[in-house]
Amino acid sequence: MMTSPYDKYRQSSVQTSTPAQLVIMLYDGAIRFARTAMDGLSKQDYEKTSLNFGKAQTIISELMSTLDHTYEVSKNLFSLYEYTNFLLVEANIRKSPEKAEEAIGYLTELRETWLQASKIAAGQGQAESAHG
């Protein structure tokens, strides 16, 4: 099977990323899929909507499953992920762009927080995170 240069780059970037960078990539994917789902909503393409909300939910489920519960912050993150997932389900069922926007808002804030934390950790020479 031939691999495109983009696929090779993507695979390489995943293999050489720090745990914090991987978490940020997951947020990027969830945000991108939720926005694509919203585009489907605006065009009344409910197959596209459902498929992409589902992909965003899968990423959030992955984030939930990789939490390291030895950190106190993990309980709060778990609750926030759970609520964000709920918003995406509601957005899909009720065809509600408002609920999707709220979910994207949380994902964007979390992404920015992880980005800042990864910069601080890189500056200190450590990349310890709530995600194991």
Side-chain angles (χ1 to χ4, degrees):
M1 184 172 92
M2 292 266 306
T3 332
S4 75
Y6 174 73
D7 288 338
K8 285 182 180 178
Y9 163 77
R10 210 172 56 191
Q11 182 180 7
S12 171
S13 70
V14 166
Q15 291 170 346
T16 59
S17 295
T18 65
Q21 289 169 325
L22 291 172
V23 171
I24 293 164
M25 285 181 202
L26 288 171
Y27 286 126
D28 287 342
I31 292 164
R32 186 176 61 252
F33 289 131
R35 287 193 174 133
T36 302
M38 284 185 64
D39 181 60
L41 262 183
S42 71
K43 295 175 179 162
Q44 296 185 341
D45 180 345
Y46 298 126
E47 188 176 333
K48 177 181 180 179
T49 299
S50 188
L51 176 72
N52 284 283
F53 276 141
K55 288 179 178 182
Q57 289 169 249
T58 299
I59 291 173
I60 293 169
S61 295
E62 179 64 22
L63 287 164
M64 291 169 80
S65 72
T66 61
L67 283 171
D68 181 344
H69 292 282
T70 59
Y71 295 95
E72 187 65 31
V73 71
S74 295
K75 292 177 190 139
N76 294 332
L77 277 172
F78 189 88
S79 295
L80 191 51
Y81 291 151
E82 203 169 40
Y83 182 64
T84 303
N85 228 5
F86 167 78
L87 287 170
L88 292 173
V89 169
E90 287 288 298
N92 195 11
I93 292 170
R94 302 186 192 289
K95 309 301 179 230
S96 168
E98 297 79 20
K99 294 199 183 292
E101 280 291 349
E102 186 179 351
I104 291 169
Y106 291 130
L107 291 168
T108 303
E109 285 180 35
L110 286 164
R111 182 200 182 280
E112 289 306 310
T113 302
W114 277 96
L115 188 60
Q116 293 306 316
S118 71
K119 287 178 182 174
I120 292 167
Q124 296 172 346
Q126 61 190 28
E128 206 171 297
S129 72
H131 285 277

